[in-house]
Amino acid sequence: MNILTVDTSTEAMRLYLSTEEATESRILNFGGMHSEHLVPEMLSMCKEAGLALKDLSLLVCTSGPGSFTGLRIGMSALKGIALAGSIPLVSIPTMEAIADAVSFFPGAVVPVIDARKKRYYSTIINEGKRLCPDLDCAGSEIAELLKGIPLTLVTGPDAEAFAPTITPYEGRLVVDAVRYRDIGPSLAKLGMKKFQEKGADDIGTGPVYIRKSDAEIALQKKMGAEANG
């Protein structure tokens, strides 16, 4: 099976191609300029593997949370390939892919991406099970959810910035020093599992956004003011 995975949820672009003969991973940081580089990089990977896009068997991308623009670019590009070549596409939650890449860790895993405005996208996965949904949160909220868990790994692009804010936490907190870990194999594994169990995503499926847009927040405040006024 020829599987292509794409993650554009952060400023770095992570691609992974798995074929019957070999695998290749690319982690490229173009400062979030995914729209200019994603398709050329996918074409380059396939060409080097002796494949055309139509030869792909399964497409997998991250669904969020993460950069609004990045997620849309990644998913839109793969939707175009899926429609043109009748290739199944599945999307995997970003946090689950990041956590799966360190599934060897013998404790809880807290994947994290900077959400700006002193907030972070995160969740907690312990022994393969989620302890909470994806969150737009501060470190203190994660610390509260980690009560009673003796060992935790903070991983993901912004682990080093987020870890000191997880207070108070009485357990041992380990910080993953690899900022952009290769999550391609995890995306391929999780994508194959999802496809086998549930089939391809509906073509109308979009990225998952857990933070309201500035316009939505402004409207909510305005409606609240009018209701109290």
Side-chain angles (χ1 to χ4, degrees):
M1 225 179 158
N2 301 321
I3 304 175
L4 175 67
T5 79
V6 169
D7 170 51
T8 50
S9 60
T10 68
E11 64 181 10
M13 181 168 61
R14 291 181 275 196
L15 299 95
Y16 176 77
L17 179 63
S18 173
T19 70
E20 298 293 339
E21 290 76 30
T23 62
E24 181 188 356
S25 293
R26 294 186 185 183
I27 302 175
L28 307 163
N29 194 337
F30 296 114
M33 302 296 287
H34 303 313
S35 60
E36 297 178 19
H37 300 281
L38 178 56
V39 173
E41 289 293 337
M42 289 192 294
L43 289 171
S44 171
M45 287 185 79
C46 289
K47 183 178 180 180
E48 290 183 12
L51 301 174
L53 291 177
K54 64 180 179 61
D55 297 321
L56 295 171
S57 313
L58 179 66
L59 303 168
V60 186
C61 66
T62 45
S63 62
S67 162
F68 292 2
T69 302
L71 290 166
R72 286 197 298 267
I73 290 170
M75 192 170 283
S76 295
L78 290 193
K79 279 186 178 182
I81 297 171
L83 285 170
S86 297
I87 303 166
L89 165 64
V90 295
S91 56
I92 299 297
T94 310
M95 296 295 137
E96 292 182 12
I98 293 174
D100 186 82
V102 292
S103 58
F104 54 82
F105 185 75
V109 175
V110 175
V112 60
I113 293 175
D114 189 354
R116 310 301 179 191
K117 301 180 181 179
K118 298 181 180 180
R119 305 284 287 181
Y120 292 83
Y121 297 128
S122 189
T123 190
I124 302 172
I125 296 176
N126 191 28
E127 297 180 351
K129 297 179 180 179
R130 277 182 178 264
L131 300 188
C132 60
D134 289 337
L135 302 172
D136 173 1
C137 64
S140 58
E141 297 169 67
I142 290 294
E144 180 68 22
L145 293 168
L146 285 172
K147 281 185 177 179
I149 296 176
L151 179 63
T152 298
L153 173 69
V154 187
T155 186
D158 300 289
E160 291 188 341
F162 187 56
T165 72
I166 302 177
T167 58
Y169 176 58
E170 297 180 354
R172 181 188 173 201
L173 198 67
V174 180
V175 182
D176 186 357
V178 180
R179 186 173 190 193
Y180 293 111
R181 189 174 287 277
D182 184 7
I183 64 173
S186 290
L187 276 174
K189 180 186 73 176
L190 295 172
M192 174 61 74
K193 183 175 184 292
K194 181 180 178 181
F195 178 62
Q196 290 174 337
E197 293 177 353
K198 300 180 180 180
D201 285 4
D202 183 272
I203 198 62
T205 300
V208 175
Y209 302 139
I210 61 174
R211 168 176 289 182
K212 294 179 180 178
S213 68
D214 290 342
E216 289 174 317
I217 294 172
L219 178 60
Q220 188 176 44
K221 289 181 178 179
K222 180 179 178 182
M223 291 175 68
E226 291 176 349
N228 296 323

